[in-house]
Amino acid sequence: MYVVESKAGAIGCMILSLCCLGSWPAILTLLERRGRLPQHTFLDFATANLLAAIVIAFSLGEIGKSTFRKPDFTTQLPQDNWPSVLLAVAGGVLLTVGNLATQYAFAFVGLSVTEVITASITVVIGTTLNYFLDNKINKAEILFPGVGCFLIAVFLGAAVHASNAADVKAKLKSLPSEYKAETEDFYSSTKNVEDNPEKEKNDVESQEKQAGKAKAGTAGFFVELENKRAIKVFGKSIMIGLFITLFAGTCLSLFSPAFNLATNDQWSTLPKGVPKLVVYTAFFYFSIAGFLIALILNLIFLYRPMVGLAKSSLKKYIYDSKGRGWAVFAGFLCGFGNGLQFMGGQAAGYAAADSVQALPLVSTFWGIVLLGEYRRSSKRTYALLVSMLAMFVAAVAILMASSGHRK
C-alpha cells in the first residue's frame, strides 16, 4: 500500500486535490447552462466518482511499501471493522448530498459565490472539528487565523451575491432601451438588426438568431442563458439559492470529520486487535455509499423533479448522451480530488487538508473565463469579489502552513 509519509508529499496532494475539486463544479454548471437536466448529469457524475475510488483502492491501495505496518486494501475487506466502515459510509452520504445540493445552488447563486459560501462553512465547522479529532497536531496559532479568513469570506460571498443580483436586475430593466439603441455593447454583431429593428425589438428570440450571440454580462446574455438552461431562475427569490447553499455547506462541513473518525478511530469503536481502516479502504466504502444515495435520490428526481425542472425517466436518461463525456470527466476529477485530499490529510492532519476548500479560487477562475460570470458588473461587485478572493488566498496559505505530521 502506498502511504504519503512526508509533509511535502501531503502538501503536493492538497495542491493537486485543489485543482481537481475546483474544476468539476464548472463542468456541471456549464452542462446545466446548456440545458442538460441535473439529474442526468449527476447520475453520470456519481458513477465516474465511484470508478475513481475503485481505481485508487486497487492500485495505490495495493502497491508500494510504507515504513508503517498497515494492512493493504483487500486485507481489510473481510475484517471486523464495521464501526469505522459505518462512519466512512456516513461521510460518503454527507458529501454526495452536499454536492447534489450545490449543483442546484450553482444555478441560483452562481458558481463562484456558491463555492465560496459552502467552502467557508466547511472550513469553519469541519476544520475546527478535525483539529480536535487529530489531537491538535496542527498549529493552532496558525490554523485558526486561517479559519477566521474563511469566516469573513462567508459574509463577503453573500455580499457579492446580493450586489451581483442587483446588477443583473438593473440590466434586465434596461433591456427595452438597449434594444432601441442597438448598441455594440449589447450584441457582438448588429449587422442584421439594422435591417429589421422593429422585429428585433418585439421578439427577443428572433433577435438572438439574427444578431448573433450576446456578449457576456449584458442583458441579452442573461436572456439567452435563461432560455437555454435547464433550471429557470428568473423571478425566483435569492433566498432559495442561499438556503440551498447553506444546507450544502452544512453537509460538506461534516464529511471530512466523519472520514477522519473512520481512519483514526478516535472514539475507540473497533474491537481489540482490529487495525484502523487505511485511507483506501475507508475511501472505497465512502464512495460506494455516496454512489448509492446519489442513485436513489436522482432516480426519484427523474420522476419528481425539484425547482420546476422537467420530468424525465430512466429511458430518457439512458438515451441522453449529450454532455455525458463531460459529466463523467467531472466525476473522475471529483473522485481523484477527494482521494488526494484524504491521502494528504492522513499524513499532515485533516484540518490542514481542509485547505483544499480554497477551491473557489479555481472555480472563480473558470466561472469568469468559461461562464462569463461578473462581466460588466458594478465597481462595488468587483471590489467585493476581489476582497473575497483575497481572503481565500490568505486562508489557503495559512492552513497549509499549519500542517503538522501524524505520528
Side-chain angles (χ1 to χ4, degrees):
M1 176 185 70
Y2 178 76
V3 177
V4 178
E5 299 176 1
S6 68
K7 182 176 178 179
I11 291 177
C13 286
M14 294 178 207
I15 293 173
L16 287 173
S17 177
L18 175 62
C19 294
C20 292
L21 295 178
S23 296
W24 70 259
I27 298 175
L28 264 59
T29 304
L30 182 63
L31 290 174
E32 184 275 324
R33 288 186 170 203
R34 289 181 175 177
R36 194 167 198 248
L37 289 175
Q39 307 97 303
H40 295 185
T41 297
F42 207 86
L43 284 169
D44 294 332
F45 172 86
T47 302
N49 202 334
L50 175 62
L51 291 175
I54 293 173
V55 170
I56 290 174
F58 283 98
S59 56
L60 297 178
E62 292 291 307
I63 63 173
K65 295 182 179 180
S66 169
T67 56
F68 302 104
R69 295 182 177 179
K70 293 185 178 182
D72 292 337
F73 161 67
T74 52
T75 303
Q76 287 202 308
L77 291 179
Q79 293 177 348
D80 184 18
N81 46 29
W82 283 105
S84 292
V85 169
L86 291 176
L87 285 166
V89 166
V93 170
L94 286 167
L95 176 65
T96 298
V97 172
N99 283 341
L100 181 59
T102 60
Q103 185 186 24
Y104 290 86
F106 293 151
F108 288 99
V109 183
L111 174 63
S112 303
V113 174
T114 298
E115 291 293 274
V116 167
I117 295 177
T118 56
S120 298
I121 295 172
T122 298
V123 170
V124 171
I125 299 176
T127 299
T128 302
L129 292 175
N130 279 326
Y131 172 74
F132 291 103
L133 289 174
D134 283 337
N135 198 26
K136 304 178 182 180
I137 69 173
N138 300 99
K139 301 169 185 176
E141 66 276 13
I142 300 177
L143 176 67
F144 286 105
V147 173
C149 289
F150 278 103
L151 184 59
I152 294 171
V154 172
F155 297 101
L156 288 173
V160 171
H161 173 52
S163 179
N164 190 57
D167 292 344
V168 174
K169 187 175 181 180
K171 291 172 184 177
L172 292 176
K173 282 184 177 179
S174 66
L175 186 61
S177 62
E178 290 187 43
Y179 273 119
K180 292 176 182 178
E182 298 175 7
T183 59
E184 286 293 328
D185 182 60
F186 182 46
Y187 284 106
S188 301
S189 172
T190 58
K191 181 179 179 181
N192 291 329
V193 179
E194 295 172 354
D195 296 332
N196 196 356
E198 285 301 317
K199 185 176 182 180
E200 176 274 329
K201 176 180 175 181
N202 297 321
D203 189 345
V204 173
E205 294 185 1
S206 175
Q207 170 59 33
E208 179 182 327
K209 294 178 181 179
Q210 292 178 23
K213 188 176 181 180
K215 284 186 176 181
T218 62
F221 172 81
F222 294 112
V223 171
E224 289 181 8
L225 178 59
E226 183 73 3
N227 289 336
K228 294 177 183 177
R229 71 185 320 158
I231 302 175
K232 307 302 181 182
V233 299
F234 278 8
K236 303 287 180 65
S237 170
I238 63 171
M239 295 307 298
I240 295 175
L242 288 176
F243 175 79
I244 296 173
T245 304
L246 292 173
F247 172 75
T250 302
C251 292
L252 294 173
S253 69
L254 298 175
F255 86 85
S256 180
F259 194 91
N260 191 350
L261 286 165
T263 54
N264 294 300
D265 193 34
Q266 291 93 333
W267 291 348
S268 301
T269 57
L270 289 173
K272 188 176 181 180
V274 176
K276 299 174 184 177
L277 286 186
V278 298
V279 169
Y280 306 105
T281 309
F283 187 45
F284 178 73
Y285 287 116
F286 175 95
S287 299
I288 288 178
F291 171 75
L292 291 176
I293 193 66
L295 182 65
I296 293 169
L297 290 177
N298 282 282
L299 285 177
I300 293 173
F301 293 157
L302 285 176
Y303 298 93
R304 296 182 178 272
M306 300 190 303
V307 296
L309 283 165
K311 285 187 177 181
S312 185
S313 65
L314 187 59
K315 182 178 180 180
K316 289 180 180 178
Y317 159 68
I318 293 172
Y319 286 101
D320 181 17
S321 60
K322 187 177 180 180
R324 174 161 289 156
W326 283 110
V328 169
F329 179 57
F332 278 119
L333 285 177
C334 183
F336 285 113
N338 287 330
L340 288 165
Q341 178 187 3
F342 296 144
M343 289 165 62
Q346 187 64 19
Y350 285 95
D354 280 340
S355 61
V356 302
Q357 295 304 326
L359 56 90
L361 291 172
V362 180
S363 295
T364 299
F365 170 80
W366 289 121
I368 293 172
V369 173
L370 187 65
L371 305 176
E373 290 188 342
Y374 306 112
R375 301 281 180 87
R376 296 174 174 81
S377 293
S378 65
K379 291 182 179 180
R380 181 175 184 273
T381 299
Y382 285 138
L384 289 169
L385 181 63
V386 170
S387 299
M388 177 188 74
L389 295 177
M391 286 297 102
F392 270 86
V393 170
V396 68
I398 293 171
L399 261 66
M400 283 189 172
S402 75
S403 299
H405 192 278
R406 195 182 304 278
K407 296 180 180 179

